[in-house]
Amino acid sequence: MLSIRNLRARLVQVDDLDLEAGDCIAVMGASGSGKSLMLRALADLDPAEEGEITLDGHERMSMTGPQWRRQVMYVGPESGWWEDRVGDHFEDPEAVTGVLRRLGFKADALTWPVSRLSTGERQRLAIARAFDRGPRVLLLDEPTGALDQAATALVEGVVHDFLMDGGIVILATHAKDQAARLGKRLLTMKQGRLSA
């Protein structure tokens, strides 16, 4: 279970939120309303001023940032790539070939230079990279914003399977149809405050 109590971070307020295994909450709101800031605070990428976040009873503050982020992983709309070759960004490239296939790639995508990737390919590969680290919670920030309908369906299929396996997802999206397909609950972010 992911539990959030009285979270206050830069321009963001989340009072009380619980997610069980298999839950997906879709968060909608205007650009600039605080969706990304909330996800970044939950992933401990931006500091929280106060509040408590726990995963299965373990407080975020009881772990180092990297330990927390292996379990509660943020996937932004634009991912960072620091090596020249795609496969160098994966801890266990052989373990992700199944996810790569389900996202529309052949195994040789790991040999590609990053410079050849389109924006949509980067977005799908960033999702595969997240699965490589075995997270319990995925914080997805507009995960299909740069994708066509077919690629969006592939990503949603992988996310659906993650939920069926007991994962937890918080999805920030502008797409109402996507929120309806994946989210068990729809919340709205307005001026940094999350509400039903």
Side-chain angles (χ1 to χ4, degrees):
M1 172 191 276
L2 180 69
S3 237
I4 304 162
R5 298 286 179 270
N6 302 312
L7 176 67
R8 303 291 182 273
R10 185 168 59 99
L11 305 175
V12 172
Q13 178 177 340
V14 180
D15 294 327
D16 191 21
L17 186 61
D18 290 319
L19 294 96
E20 302 278 353
D23 278 351
C24 176
I25 289 181
V27 180
M28 298 190 71
S31 294
S33 62
K35 300 183 301 295
S36 296
L37 291 174
M38 177 192 69
L39 295 180
R40 290 181 58 81
L42 293 176
D44 197 30
L45 290 167
D46 293 338
E49 295 160 12
E50 60 181 88
E52 182 178 280
I53 306 171
T54 59
L55 180 62
D56 295 332
H58 299 286
E59 239 269 12
R60 181 186 63 183
M61 299 308 291
S62 69
M63 302 177 210
T64 66
Q67 287 172 331
W68 178 260
R69 286 187 288 275
R70 284 189 76 83
Q71 297 179 74
V72 180
M73 184 163 296
Y74 173 77
V75 181
E78 295 181 20
S79 57
W81 299 87
W82 52 90
E83 300 288 348
D84 293 333
R85 198 175 64 91
V86 169
D88 293 337
H89 295 87
F90 290 81
E91 290 181 357
D92 188 355
E94 289 182 20
V96 296
T97 54
V99 172
L100 287 172
R101 274 195 301 276
R102 288 165 51 214
L103 288 170
F105 295 100
K106 294 182 179 172
D108 74 338
L110 295 171
T111 67
W112 294 353
V114 170
S115 59
R116 75 158 271 183
L117 300 177
S118 70
T119 302
E121 287 171 333
R122 286 175 191 247
Q123 201 161 29
R124 285 183 290 144
L125 285 166
I127 290 167
R129 195 169 69 193
F131 281 104
D132 178 47
R133 283 149 173 85
R136 301 279 318 287
V137 179
L138 283 176
L139 308 171
L140 301 177
D141 194 352
E142 298 291 342
T144 59
L147 302 183
D148 61 23
Q149 192 172 0
T152 294
L154 294 175
V155 169
E156 288 182 1
V158 167
V159 172
H160 179 265
D161 291 348
F162 176 71
L163 292 167
M164 295 303 288
D165 288 341
I168 295 170
V169 174
I170 300 179
L171 167 72
T173 181
H174 287 293
K176 287 183 181 178
D177 53 343
Q178 182 172 72
R181 285 191 299 269
L182 289 175
K184 286 188 178 177
R185 288 183 280 168
L186 173 61
L187 301 180
T188 302
M189 181 69 81
K190 188 173 183 181
Q191 295 180 335
R193 183 144 193 185
L194 193 65
S195 60

